[in-house]
Amino acid sequence: MNVSHPAVHPVGVPPALGGHAVPPRMRMRVRMEYLVFQGMPLPGTLGGLVLRLGQFCSALIAFSVMLSVRDFSVTAFCYLVAATVLQCLWSLAMAVIDVYALLVKRSLRNPLLVSIFVVGDGVTATLTFAAACASAGVIVLIGNDIAMCKDNPCANYEAAIIMAFLSWFMVSISFILTFWLLATL
Amino acid sequence: MNVSHPAVHPVGVPPALGGHAVPPRMRMRVRMEYLVFQGMPLPGTLGGLVLRLGQFCSALIAFSVMLSVRDFSVTAFCYLVAATVLQCLWSLAMAVIDVYALLVKRSLRNPLLVSIFVVGDGVTATLTFAAACASAGVIVLIGNDIAMCKDNPCANYEAAIIMAFLSWFMVSISFILTFWLLATL
């Protein structure tokens, strides 16, 4: 029931095998896993919870700013609203799971569970990034190329886009760490 | 010198260890590595070369179509041209490395080399996807929201964006596979 580090177990054993080709790769793996798993924000850890809350807050701010503008005539901005809502829901759900894991001191290093985290993180990160990029393309067009920022609340849009990018960046960290964890489980 | 499969070696050994906690995870790893490494388009394989050529060709088509329009007034489209050029160069370089590896029958499963592949794939995939999304946001704005496709070659832009997305999709496959390979090396 305690938070174990299963992926580290197999690498402690090989020196007894006497295989001449194994040690360098094993040392590499030990070093990599040590780097990745020591104090990293993985699912079920305090760092993971903080990262999830960061994703949730930045996506929520992006959503709130977009909603405050109340302009839904541009498709890219509507998509950004939808993507930030999805990101909020996903990050909140993951934060709840992290709180549960921390409270009952349960490990979340189950291959099926980690696979779901990886797919969810990958999909939401891609959608949030796509929405932020599309909105950024439109804002650069409005602001720089046709210079119509006088008629539009460009600063608000830019703030929302920056928060969406920040959320994407944090989800990407989660994705890369959980993907690495899945590969080494 | 021959193309070896080093990552599979450690997993064939554990049954001799007699550890009671290891087998389920090891079976999982064997299954995962079997699924990933059997006939997958990894660096230094024929499948990898075909994937690289696919990335290169789709990025080249996107670049050519964008260049044929000769309209560089929109920042997002200029960014798409730059991103597709970078994607072409990266995929071509990787294809050349794959051809070299196939010709001299050399394995590319070196941790440092695979790390470079992962970083390169990750960066170019992100840049290509960002450019494609930004351009898509602008095209949807021009085509749907303000309906100005009569004055702009929207079909050409759309074709270029679709090819850029296709290139991104193929680079993502390379990224995910090489990242998995790096984690299990």
Side-chain angles (χ1 to χ4, degrees):
Chain A
M1 281 297 185
N2 64 329
V3 181
S4 60
H5 298 262
V8 181
H9 283 260
V11 297
V13 183
L17 301 174
H20 63 283
V22 177
R25 279 195 304 276
M26 281 308 186
R27 273 203 300 277
M28 172 75 191
R29 178 170 288 176
V30 169
R31 205 170 62 241
M32 285 300 206
E33 289 189 354
Y34 182 82
L35 283 171
V36 169
F37 297 136
Q38 285 300 306
M40 283 288 158
L42 288 168
T45 65
L46 195 63
L49 177 62
V50 171
L51 194 65
R52 292 294 174 191
L53 290 178
Q55 295 163 14
F56 172 73
C57 290
S58 47
L60 190 68
I61 293 170
F63 170 70
S64 310
V65 172
M66 288 307 291
L67 218 63
S68 71
V69 180
R70 289 173 193 275
D71 176 14
F72 298 106
S73 59
V74 177
T75 311
F77 296 157
C78 296
Y79 177 36
L80 183 61
V81 171
T84 49
V85 167
L86 184 70
Q87 188 60 66
C88 279
L89 293 175
W90 173 255
S91 293
L92 189 64
M94 295 301 293
V96 168
I97 292 173
D98 280 347
V99 168
Y100 166 77
L102 284 170
L103 285 179
V104 301
K105 297 199 191 320
R106 244 190 126 89
S107 170
L108 295 176
R109 294 188 186 179
N110 172 296
L112 182 67
L113 214 56
V114 177
S115 305
I116 295 168
F117 296 165
V118 169
V119 172
D121 279 334
V123 169
T124 55
T126 306
L127 292 180
T128 305
F129 187 61
C133 287
S135 304
V138 171
I139 275 296
V140 170
L141 180 81
I142 295 173
N144 287 11
D145 304 332
I146 55 173
M148 281 175 64
C149 261
K150 281 178 291 183
D151 313 324
N152 295 287
C154 283
N156 290 15
Y157 289 132
E158 280 164 15
I161 291 164
I162 289 167
M163 293 316 288
F165 272 120
L166 191 67
S167 183
W168 161 74
F169 182 72
M170 286 188 281
V171 183
S172 297
I173 295 172
S174 286
F175 170 74
I176 288 171
L177 289 179
T178 47
F179 191 68
W180 188 282
L181 180 68
L182 180 68
T184 52
L185 265 181
Chain B
M1 281 298 187
N2 65 327
V3 182
S4 61
H5 298 263
V8 181
H9 283 259
V11 298
V13 182
L17 301 174
H20 63 284
V22 177
R25 279 195 303 276
M26 280 308 189
R27 273 204 301 276
M28 172 76 190
R29 179 169 288 176
V30 169
R31 206 171 62 241
M32 284 300 203
E33 290 190 351
Y34 181 82
L35 283 172
V36 169
F37 298 136
Q38 286 301 305
M40 283 286 157
L42 288 169
T45 65
L46 194 64
L49 177 63
V50 170
L51 194 65
R52 293 295 174 187
L53 290 177
Q55 295 163 13
F56 172 72
C57 289
S58 47
L60 190 69
I61 293 170
F63 171 70
S64 309
V65 172
M66 287 307 291
L67 217 63
S68 72
V69 180
R70 289 172 191 276
D71 176 13
F72 298 107
S73 60
V74 178
T75 311
F77 296 157
C78 296
Y79 177 35
L80 183 61
V81 171
T84 49
V85 167
L86 183 72
Q87 188 60 67
C88 278
L89 293 176
W90 173 257
S91 294
L92 189 64
M94 296 300 293
V96 168
I97 292 173
D98 280 348
V99 168
Y100 166 76
L102 285 169
L103 284 179
V104 301
K105 297 198 189 323
R106 242 189 128 89
S107 170
L108 295 177
R109 295 190 186 176
N110 172 294
L112 182 67
L113 214 57
V114 177
S115 305
I116 295 169
F117 296 166
V118 169
V119 172
D121 280 335
V123 170
T124 55
T126 307
L127 291 180
T128 305
F129 187 60
C133 288
S135 303
V138 171
I139 274 297
V140 170
L141 179 81
I142 294 173
N144 287 11
D145 304 332
I146 56 174
M148 279 176 64
C149 262
K150 279 177 293 183
D151 313 323
N152 294 288
C154 284
N156 290 15
Y157 289 132
E158 280 163 16
I161 291 164
I162 289 168
M163 293 316 288
F165 272 121
L166 192 66
S167 184
W168 161 75
F169 181 72
M170 286 187 281
V171 183
S172 298
I173 295 173
S174 286
F175 171 74
I176 288 171
L177 289 179
T178 47
F179 191 66
W180 188 282
L181 180 67
L182 179 67
T184 51
L185 266 181

